[in-house]
Amino acid sequence: KAGETEAARNLFGRLTALPLGAKVAKACFKKWLAFEGQHGNARTRQHVKSQAKAFIERENARLQAKASA
């Protein structure tokens, strides 16, 4: 069971690293956070939140670069 939990975490990590639209990314991060709410702890939930913030920063930088080009 522990191996399946780690496999799910790896899958969420790979999924959210893809170039996703904002709506799809939001849904993925919400599902990942809910998963961690059931199977994780405060540290893993904080990791998901930091990954979501990093995604937003990457998207904002990409959009700013696109707008200035």
Side-chain angles (χ1 to χ4, degrees):
K1 181 122 182 172
E4 292 175 3
T5 302
E6 281 304 312
R9 286 184 176 123
N10 290 336
L11 180 62
F12 278 119
R14 290 193 315 267
L15 177 64
T16 55
L18 294 173
L20 304 171
K23 288 183 181 182
V24 174
K26 181 179 178 181
C28 291
F29 280 114
K30 284 180 80 171
K31 286 181 188 275
W32 190 5
L33 192 57
F35 173 83
E36 292 299 344
Q38 287 185 333
H39 303 284
N41 55 35
R43 184 184 58 81
T44 58
R45 287 189 296 276
Q46 185 59 39
H47 175 71
V48 175
K49 291 176 184 178
S50 68
Q51 291 296 314
K53 287 179 185 177
F55 176 85
I56 292 169
E57 290 171 2
R58 284 192 312 271
E59 264 310 288
N60 286 340
R62 184 185 69 80
L63 291 173
Q64 287 178 353
K66 186 177 179 181
S68 66

